[in-house]
Amino acid sequence: MSNLQILSLVLVTGYFAFLALTLVRRGRVISGPWLFLLRSFFPNWRFYHGFGAQPRLFLRSVGPDGHWSDWWQFMPRARFVHADLLHNPHNNLLLANQNLVDHLSFDLQALPEGGDARALVTYQMVAELARSLLAARGDLPARWQFQLRLVPPLKRPDDDMAVLTSPVMGTP
């Protein structure tokens, strides 16, 4: 075996040993700014904790006629091709985008009373995600908004489920 294979084996074994240890032994919650920055590398596993409302990103924009469009939902849907089992950057990006929306929802829940959501890094990243999603649909509108809604399973999303609505963004 080469040195790279041995190193990979040691890292994978260490990772699974750490997971097994955390399942057996419960201690204090590990937190800190360095861990906060590393969380973007790991998926959000909170969906295993319970069956409940899922955070969804909705967007709208002002058309050329000056009227607001209806809210449309960003719902990443992965296509399946057998080659994607080996190399799958597009679907990984979609998953990372939804993971970012999930992290914003969690950060909003952890935000202290009276805190400004616009100061959150996840808010700023979701705002940029929303801008890029609108730009991918065509030309970027002059004014646009995004909204975060907690949508219960098997329910149609409506405005009452909104947790956060951004101010109007763009140029007037």
Side-chain angles (χ1 to χ4, degrees), residues 10-162:
V10 167
L11 289 175
V12 169
T13 304
Y15 173 73
F16 283 110
F18 176 74
L19 286 179
L21 182 66
T22 59
L23 289 174
V24 173
R25 180 187 159 130
R26 298 281 180 179
R28 65 181 184 91
V29 175
I30 300 171
S31 65
W34 59 272
L35 187 61
F36 180 79
L37 294 173
L38 289 176
R39 76 180 185 165
S40 62
F41 292 106
F42 303 101
N44 188 353
W45 296 102
R46 289 177 44 94
F47 61 89
Y48 285 123
H49 290 279
F51 190 64
Q54 296 295 312
R56 298 290 179 234
L57 181 65
F58 287 80
L59 305 138
R60 72 177 182 167
S61 60
V62 173
D65 58 356
H67 290 62
W68 284 97
S69 66
D70 291 332
W71 290 101
W72 60 274
Q73 182 179 0
F74 164 67
M75 175 61 82
R77 293 288 182 206
R79 60 182 172 82
F80 179 74
V81 178
H82 290 288
D84 286 348
L85 293 172
L86 301 174
H87 184 67
N88 194 355
H90 177 73
N91 291 345
N92 288 344
L93 178 62
L94 292 176
L95 179 61
N97 290 342
Q98 182 58 44
N99 192 27
L100 176 63
V101 172
D102 292 344
H103 280 299
L104 174 61
S105 174
F106 179 72
D107 287 350
L108 289 174
Q109 293 171 13
L111 193 66
E113 187 69 32
D116 186 11
R118 292 174 292 180
L120 297 170
V121 173
T122 50
Y123 177 92
Q124 295 165 17
M125 291 175 71
V126 168
E128 180 59 30
L129 170 64
R131 190 198 65 73
S132 67
L133 290 171
L134 288 165
R137 292 184 87 189
D139 58 336
L140 186 64
R143 295 185 304 155
W144 52 275
Q145 271 185 305
F146 72 89
Q147 191 175 71
L148 184 72
R149 298 181 189 175
L150 289 178
V151 180
L154 307 174
K155 299 269 180 145
R156 291 188 74 102
D158 59 32
D159 290 336
D160 295 336
M161 299 173 185

